Amino acid sequence: MHDSLIHLSSAGVSLLLDVSGDDLPAIVHWGAALGSLSEDDARMLALAAVEPVVPNAGDVPIRVALLPEGWRGWTGKPGVEGHRDGADWSPRFRTERVTLGGSDLVVTFTEADAGTVVVESEDATAGLHLVTEIELTGSGVVRARATLRNTADDHYDVAALNIAFPLPPNAREILDFAGRWGKERTPQRSALVVGIHEREGRKGRTGADAATVLSVGVPGFGFGAGEVWGVHVGFSGNHRAYAERLFSGVQVIGGGELLLPGEIRLATGEEYSGPWVYGVWGDGLDEQAARIHRMLRARPRHPRRPRPVTLNVWEAVYFDHDRQRLWDLADRAEALGVERFVLDDGWFRGRRDDTAGLGDWFVDEEVWPDGLRPLAEHVRDRGMEFGIWFEPEMVSPDSDLAREHPEWILATGGRMPVLARNQLVLDIARDDAYAFVLERIREVLRETAASYIKWDHNRDLVDPGHGPRGVPGVHGQTLAAYRMMAELKELFPELEIESCSSGGARVDLGVIEHTDRVWVSDCIDPLERQQMNRWTAQLLPPELLGSHVASGVSHSTGRSHTLAFRAATALHGHFGIEWDLAAATPDELHELGEWIALYKESRALMHTGEMVRIDTSDPTLHLYGSVSEERDSALFVLASIGRSEVSPLGRFALRGLDPDARYRVRPVLPGGAPRGLIRPPWFGADDRGVELTGRALATAGLHTPSMHPESAIVLDVSAVR
Ligand code: DGJ
């Protein structure tokens, strides 16, 4: 083999890979672009990255491969963990083949832009074959995935395949997310100290408390500046993400699937692939997020048609599926300009509340004696799409399905798992259970011609034992759910799917390969959503974030908010309504109509533009928006999320605009001025706003209007020609 180095560089990111000799691939540099390199430059960089040998450590420098190897003296978390009845647990792989873009690598140094490197390695002694795929995407996201094959005559138990990306020594501050039902993606910061900061997801779903993007950056990094390196595991089952600092100061971030004991046992010739593990560098959190957003938007199946204004009936009617009420709701929705009507939980047999019915995916004859088709047609006749709720992976003990097929329930130890939301989990990795659910969904979609599924998943997987022996089943269950989504989309090419899981507990890049938006949270209180939307957007662009206007008094928190604050908060996402419109006043309906019109006018900008979140000087002020690709327009929201100890709040600056262009900045106030607004002089006569250059807006800025807490205004920024 050659002493080969590969320099991939795209969108301001460099990935210098060392695939020398027969070693496993290792990263020499991942971060800011290095510019074009000569082979000598690259070799010097590789040499410069070799650490000196210090007393009482190994006699040779430790080389940290993408899957770090114990045999080299690496004492951190290993890349490959597994064994063959206790043997073959510390593999020493030798690389046999390296390809770049599908062609064998024959030179000692290559430069390319975005591309994929595949490294095939073998440990003949341990009887293992390892394939490592490393890709730099066009937007500068690095992703890697490993596949382990058992080449020996007896079985091999895989415990983990961890992918680790190197961190520079100045990355010492961690930002990741915690959360719970109704309060997903709560940011938490901590110092990276010697040891492991490890986030394990053992819920059998991504989890409301998932790390989501685990970043480590230079202390004090913010949205606009400060280098940050982040990792995300693209998987909806059990997973881990971690940051690790060794005694030597060497640091990595990594992750992979979290396998239960014995979950992956490979027979001869069988293989196991871990999920894609994403590494995202940025100078500031906005640049990090923008790389992921651009990567997702470049996918052929990214939802591109305008995101339809959606009315979901859940908080309007809950389980009260009264025909007349729903008909009326559809009429009111049409009058407002709603484009998609989604019937939530409660339409199927026995489902009068959350204690029964899951699994019996037949339209309830008592509630819907004529089936659902008349409602679906009524909705379509009013120019709206029809969507419907399912929870395909779940079963109520009180259901015909559970009574007929108790053996289809994920369980182990000869007992039933503890209930959660009165329900159990269906073992859809079984062919028979899978086929039953798929057939039912297919039938309901055919009958109603629904083009949208809200796909829910309302409990953790506890004791998820698969098949008659109750062997660990999270891996198979997760892949079966993905497979079912993919199969449905093949059967119904126009179908869109929303990933919902007790709100936002299934938000990850694995499920997003099969779905078209996520339900960010069951909590629609705009004060909470200011936080949850802002941080969910660290992973997903606004068009994938289900974002609704609910009733004035939040059902989850009891807080009251103005319509302007509710609607302004929902504006940047995939906008919708989840409110009993029959209870809204004519004034409220009129104002909501204005917000819907603003959303429709601006959605192309918000759903293709670059997200900007401003690091404001006051924590009670949220300022964020989207800047168009051409940088000729932008739409910002200025939201007061509390009361400050100072008033007024001083000036704010706008980032992301063209410094040399002139812009008019003006407030947009659907429904009139929010309560308590004190206009700063720059609003001008008739709120016509002010003209300034992008440079002036980014540096000197504008004075913050004074507002009541928990209110917001929209700022339109348009280039002046
Ligand atoms: C949880 C979801 O997050 C809600 O929006 C709603 O669909 C309920 N499940 C229905 O049971």
Side-chain angles (χ1 to χ4, degrees):
M1 293 294 290
H2 297 293
D3 277 350
S4 291
L5 291 165
I6 302 173
H7 180 211
L8 300 178
S9 190
S10 105
V13 173
S14 273
L15 179 72
L16 183 57
L17 270 180
D18 176 2
V19 286
S20 294
D22 61 5
D23 281 330
L24 284 186
I27 294 176
V28 175
H29 169 83
W30 163 48
L34 295 166
S36 183
L37 301 176
S38 68
E39 178 160 356
D40 278 352
D41 290 340
R43 294 219 171 280
M44 287 303 149
L45 269 164
L47 185 65
V50 179
E51 58 181 66
V53 170
V54 293
N56 200 28
D59 292 344
V60 285
I62 296 171
R63 182 177 180 281
V64 190
L66 215 59
L67 286 102
E69 303 157 288
W71 72 269
R72 281 194 176 265
W74 169 257
T75 53
K77 196 184 265 300
V80 179
E81 287 183 283
H83 68 98
R84 194 185 303 283
D85 283 336
D88 301 333
W89 56 276
S90 181
R92 194 282 191 233
F93 289 99
R94 292 172 198 279
T95 290
E96 298 183 329
R97 186 170 180 216
V98 180
T99 60
L100 170 62
S103 308
D104 281 303
L105 198 71
V106 287
V107 291
T108 54
F109 177 64
T110 317
E111 273 199 321
D113 43 22
T116 302
V117 177
V118 180
V119 180
E120 293 185 35
S121 318
E122 186 84 27
D123 179 344
T125 311
L128 295 172
H129 182 83
L130 179 71
V131 177
T132 315
E133 293 164 83
I134 311 139
E135 181 181 354
L136 181 69
T137 69
S139 69
V141 173
V142 179
R143 62 176 196 167
R145 157 171 93 171
T147 299
L148 189 70
R149 190 167 74 235
N150 177 17
T151 59
D153 289 339
D154 41 7
H155 64 252
Y156 190 81
D157 288 307
V158 184
L161 285 187
N162 294 312
I163 304 277
F165 301 106
L167 282 177
N170 56 340
R172 295 299 302 278
E173 184 174 329
I174 302 172
L175 167 70
D176 63 359
F177 298 94
R180 60 174 169 87
W181 175 82
K183 200 164 176 65
E184 291 86 341
R185 286 161 288 285
T186 310
Q188 51 181 17
R189 288 199 185 226
S190 54
L192 176 57
V193 294
V194 169
I196 296 194
H197 172 88
E198 178 159 8
R199 301 296 309 283
E200 290 192 338
R202 290 181 178 269
K203 296 186 156 63
R205 55 174 163 171
T206 325
D209 61 341
T212 310
V213 183
L214 188 160
S215 295
V216 189
V218 297
F221 63 86
F223 292 122
E227 281 193 288
V228 61
W229 291 259
V231 69
H232 169 79
V233 180
F235 195 59
S236 312
N238 292 340
H239 61 283
R240 67 163 61 84
Y242 61 94
E244 180 169 29
R245 178 172 165 84
L246 265 63
F247 68 95
S248 57
V250 171
Q251 314 186 133
V252 295
I253 46 172
E257 182 175 359
L258 192 157
L259 296 170
L260 295 169
E263 189 158 21
I264 300 290
R265 166 167 284 201
L266 301 177
T268 306
E270 279 184 351
E271 60 183 36
Y272 159 74
S273 291
W276 285 108
V277 179
Y278 294 81
V280 200
W281 171 84
D283 186 6
L285 290 163
D286 276 0
E287 190 175 283
Q288 183 191 61
R291 292 190 191 289
I292 310 177
H293 297 179
R294 275 190 236 124
M295 173 184 79
L296 293 174
R297 286 174 174 172
R299 299 172 305 162
R301 293 181 67 162
H302 190 72
R304 280 194 183 75
R305 72 187 170 93
R307 300 292 74 215
V309 176
T310 298
L311 181 131
N312 181 296
V313 307
W314 180 242
E315 287 206 356
V317 304
Y318 292 105
F319 289 104
D320 180 17
H321 280 207
D322 176 76
R323 186 182 183 281
Q324 198 43 49
R325 220 176 145 191
L326 288 164
W327 241 251
D328 175 65
L329 200 49
D331 293 343
R332 290 172 191 274
E334 181 205 10
L336 276 175
V338 168
E339 298 160 310
R340 176 183 279 156
F341 180 96
V342 181
L343 186 67
D344 211 281
D345 193 357
W347 56 267
F348 45 96
R349 270 188 204 159
R351 188 66 168 175
R352 300 288 61 80
D353 56 31
D354 68 9
T355 60
L358 292 173
D360 295 344
W361 305 112
F362 298 86
V363 177
D364 193 305
E365 297 84 349
E366 280 175 31
V367 181
W368 298 101
D370 303 322
L372 278 179
R373 191 180 294 169
L375 175 68
E377 282 173 0
H378 179 72
V379 164
R380 269 191 298 279
D381 287 347
R382 267 136 201 80
M384 297 179 283
E385 299 172 32
F386 182 73
I388 189 161
W389 182 95
F390 282 96
E391 197 175 1
E393 298 141 271
M394 296 292 158
V395 56
S396 304
D398 184 1
S399 65
D400 291 342
L401 181 63
R403 281 182 285 271
E404 276 163 36
H405 289 292
E407 76 285 8
W408 287 8
I409 292 168
L410 274 181
T412 195
R415 56 181 190 265
M416 277 294 150
V418 289
L419 294 178
R421 207 194 187 208
N422 312 302
Q423 64 197 55
L424 292 162
V425 187
L426 196 70
D427 184 0
I428 59 165
R430 290 178 63 113
D431 291 345
D432 41 15
Y434 179 97
F436 169 78
V437 177
L438 180 67
E439 190 271 336
R440 288 315 317 146
I441 299 178
R442 202 167 46 199
E443 267 321 294
V444 175
L445 294 186
R446 284 213 177 109
E447 185 191 328
T448 59
S451 55
Y452 182 81
I453 294 178
K454 178 174 175 184
W455 187 300
D456 213 337
H457 182 288
N458 280 307
R459 64 158 297 168
D460 293 342
L461 273 53
V462 172
D463 278 351
H466 158 75
R469 290 185 53 237
V471 298
V474 176
H475 176 78
Q477 180 81 356
T478 310
L479 297 191
Y482 289 167
R483 185 154 47 92
M484 195 180 289
M485 292 175 186
E487 239 182 282
L488 283 165
K489 284 198 158 193
E490 254 175 50
L491 288 168
F492 302 94
E494 300 300 314
L495 180 71
E496 291 198 2
I497 301 178
E498 169 174 31
S499 171
C500 173
S501 180
S502 320
R506 187 140 72 178
V507 173
D508 62 80
L509 294 186
V511 79
I512 221 68
E513 286 182 28
H514 305 285
T515 54
D516 303 277
R517 75 169 215 171
V518 300
W519 182 225
V520 174
S521 175
D522 271 354
C523 180
I524 322 178
D525 174 332
L527 183 61
E528 301 290 334
R529 280 300 192 102
Q530 277 290 332
Q531 165 115 327
M532 291 187 277
N533 290 6
R534 144 174 296 219
W535 289 113
T536 307
Q538 198 56 36
L539 187 72
L540 300 180
E543 64 271 24
L544 301 186
L545 308 183
S547 209
H548 294 176
V549 177
S551 55
V553 177
S554 164
H555 291 198
S556 346
T557 65
R559 288 196 196 109
S560 301
H561 289 109
T562 61
L563 179 51
F565 188 49
R566 278 136 63 205
T569 300
L571 189 65
H572 272 78
H574 178 179
F575 189 92
I577 301 167
E578 195 155 332
W579 179 12
D580 183 3
L581 295 175
T585 65
D587 283 353
E588 285 177 321
L589 291 174
H590 179 76
E591 183 180 342
L592 184 55
E594 289 188 17
W595 282 100
I596 290 174
L598 176 63
Y599 167 74
K600 286 182 179 173
E601 261 168 48
S602 339
R603 61 187 159 192
L605 158 64
M606 296 183 295
H607 296 168
T608 58
E610 188 153 318
M611 176 181 76
V612 175
R613 293 162 296 183
I614 305 290
D615 297 292
T616 53
S617 56
D618 193 290
T620 66
L621 189 67
H622 269 191
L623 175 55
Y624 58 93
S626 304
V627 178
S628 70
E629 278 173 303
E630 302 76 24
R631 294 201 287 175
D632 58 353
S633 59
L635 199 76
F636 282 89
V637 170
L638 219 152
S640 160
I641 58 160
R643 296 192 77 219
S644 175
E645 74 281 12
V646 298
S647 175
L649 286 183
R651 282 192 270 184
F652 63 85
L654 295 178
R655 192 161 35 77
L657 302 168
D658 176 354
D660 297 320
R662 280 187 82 72
Y663 296 91
R664 172 162 292 275
V665 186
R666 62 177 182 92
V668 183
L669 307 170
R675 277 202 294 260
L677 176 70
I678 301 175
R679 290 173 161 82
W682 68 263
F683 272 27
D686 301 326
D687 290 337
R688 289 196 63 250
V690 68
E691 267 184 39
L692 284 168
T693 61
R695 185 173 288 105
L697 287 167
T699 49
L702 297 167
H703 232 292
T704 311
S706 190
M707 292 183 276
H708 278 172
E710 297 168 30
S711 57
I713 60 166
V714 176
L715 298 176
D716 176 274
V717 183
S718 298
V720 182
R721 293 171 207 285

